[in-house]
Amino acid sequence: MKALVYTDVETLEYRKFANPEPGPDEVLVRIDSVGICGSDMHAYLGHDDRRPAPLILGHEGAGVTADGRRVTINPLVNDPNSAASRSGRENLCPSRQIISMPPREGAFAEYVAIPERNLIEVPSHITLEQAALAEPIAVSWHAVRLGLASLHPADERRAHVIGGGAIGLAAALALTAMGVEQVTLSEPNAARATYLRDTCGIAVVDTPEQDIPLVIDAVGFSSTRAVASALVSPGGVILHIGLGSSEGGLDIRRITLQEITLIGTYTYTAQDFRDTCNAMFNGRLGTLDWVETRDLSDGAAAFTDIRAGKTLAPKTILKP
Amino acid sequence: MKALVYTDVETLEYRKFANPEPGPDEVLVRIDSVGICGSDMHAYLGHDDRRPAPLILGHEGAGVTADGRRVTINPLVNDPNSAASRSGRENLCPSRQIISMPPREGAFAEYVAIPERNLIEVPSHITLEQAALAEPIAVSWHAVRLGLASLHPADERRAHVIGGGAIGLAAALALTAMGVEQVTLSEPNAARATYLRDTCGIAVVDTPEQDIPLVIDAVGFSSTRAVASALVSPGGVILHIGLGSSEGGLDIRRITLQEITLIGTYTYTAQDFRDTCNAMFNGRLGTLDWVETRDLSDGAAAFTDIRAGKTLAPKTILKP
């Protein structure tokens, strides 16, 4: 098959690659659409020890099975018998794997191998470009679910999202879908901010209100954590999704004196992934049209453009 | 009256001071016993901007009212009509005050003024030295309650406490009182560790187990936060009580990838304070004899000894 292979720091080669071989209980999915994630960019820049070259990146895939089913892929492969999986927390399974991380190749390719249980069938009114958004939206859906469960019952359901990438946008959409009426978002890139306002109907603000019960850091650098620490109300919750930097930024004195909860969140449970798909399929997450598409063969240029801040849409989707 | 007055960095003077004047709804309590808290030490060292000299420190007081009631004092004074207070979170009230912080003088004195609603009557089988432990124990009781409420139902009720001061010890006692059967504690001071083992029956360990669902940082320095980040199990909870330093130590990458929750906790609600007193009075928090007593006139020397690590008991109580 043809694949976009990460071969060295800042180097992606579109070339032939051995077809993946499905293991027991696994199927081959012919990829139709696959999104580029911030973590793919992180790996491409050589910043992710978990993803050494050579490797096929990409874990946000949708496509078609050999028997003709249109599917979106939950890329998180876990041991169904681990204690974490049995408690419904597949994302905490100690033997969890994700496609695009060894030993599993990713979906920037014509085919990917994946357990049958990781497939969600896509109804005919949803395109496979839209279906490829299930994975990033599930990340945010899961985070928002954890955050709302941790908010004190007396606190207002009011939220602010830091960062207007796909995860930040999806967090805003998930908040709205879960009934939070006051949702704002901050995004420093003016063109992206305008896109989010005009295309996605998001309340992008330059200066967020203070004292917000639920603050979502969808970036994860020390600078955004400092903003989150200052914005969150006493007794409030910070959801930390991003993997930008591993230290600094949190005002731990304020977190302690004002009883703030910080929740690290990673991927999603299998149920969150299904719930996200259902919400997408039922229209509760909007029109799902905030994408740009590129040929997979053009993938290297897509990475360069994203890095240069030239893409307006929060999600770039590659088409094999 | 006589009081121990913090007059300058590392300077405490035992001298005359104007009697406090009770405001509306307030009473005078003649102090019998008052504990020295880490935050008093912090202020004494000049590290707490909230407590400028000259000031009477001390907020862990028990004593006798003018009409002869033996009481322990909840030192947190809030506005009962604030939204936080009405939701049962008096400790998050924006106008909260605590004795020993302006505008309120503290309890290292013969008398303190406090609202009547802040008093808990002490039964005759409890000494006023024991009753003065209510405040630090309530801090830990509150933290443990928040932590257990945040643990995933599938997680083992197993906890480790970092730090064997009064807050750490009280956390271990509260955990046990709330039904957590496996509780360990780490304390670097060997003499203190031995005291905690022999006098308080605490399982002090040199090397804690890994993968602990509930980790309590009762110190709050970057070094202890680093330990907490490493010990806590995936999906687990870190309770952060201490005010040692305001930055650093947390492994935010691990917190994110392993979905760890960090909860900052501060003081207690009024209900937590009452529940703590009831548990103390009913014997559920042990013998409450882990104290050393000194005359209030000897307070300056007590601070010097605590700072030099010369006190074995987790709590030093001053007697006016």
Side-chain angles (χ1 to χ4, degrees), chain A residues 154-167:
Chain A
D155 274 336
E156 281 185 273
R157 267 44 192 163
R158 192 156 50 83
H160 181 75
V161 180
I162 301 169
I167 297 296

Side-chain angles (χ1 to χ4, degrees), chain A residues 89 142 155 240 256 259 262, chain B residues 89 142 240 256 259 262:
Chain A
R89 294 186 292 176
H142 170 71
D155 274 336
H240 191 270
T256 306
E259 270 199 5
L262 172 84
Chain B
R89 294 186 292 176
H142 171 71
H240 192 269
T256 306
E259 271 200 5
L262 173 84

Side-chain angles (χ1 to χ4, degrees), chain B residues 207-291:
Chain B
T207 309
E209 281 183 57
Q210 291 292 310
D211 276 337
I212 296 178
L214 184 59
V215 176
I216 300 178
D217 184 346
V219 182
F221 281 99
S222 61
S223 56
T224 54
R225 287 191 288 269
V227 171
S229 298
L231 286 183
V232 65
S233 60
V237 174
I238 299 171
L239 295 171
H240 192 269
I241 313 181
L243 289 170
S245 65
S246 66
E247 285 210 358
L250 290 176
D251 180 347
I252 300 173
R253 185 174 176 82
R254 179 164 196 263
I255 285 175
T256 306
L257 286 172
Q258 299 297 350
E259 271 200 5
I260 289 152
T261 295
L262 173 84
I263 304 177
T265 105
Y266 179 72
T267 65
Y268 31 74
T269 68
Q271 187 62 48
D272 287 321
F273 201 94
R274 287 190 291 268
D275 291 344
T276 301
C277 289
N278 283 332
M280 289 170 63
F281 301 163
N282 296 335
R284 291 172 58 209
L285 290 164
T287 50
L288 306 172
D289 55 359
W290 30 274
V291 303

Side-chain angles (χ1 to χ4, degrees), chain A residues 195-213:
Chain A
Y195 183 100
L196 292 173
R197 266 193 212 99
D198 296 350
T199 307
C200 309
I202 301 296
V204 185
V205 295
D206 292 328
T207 308
E209 281 182 57
Q210 290 293 311
D211 276 337
I212 295 177

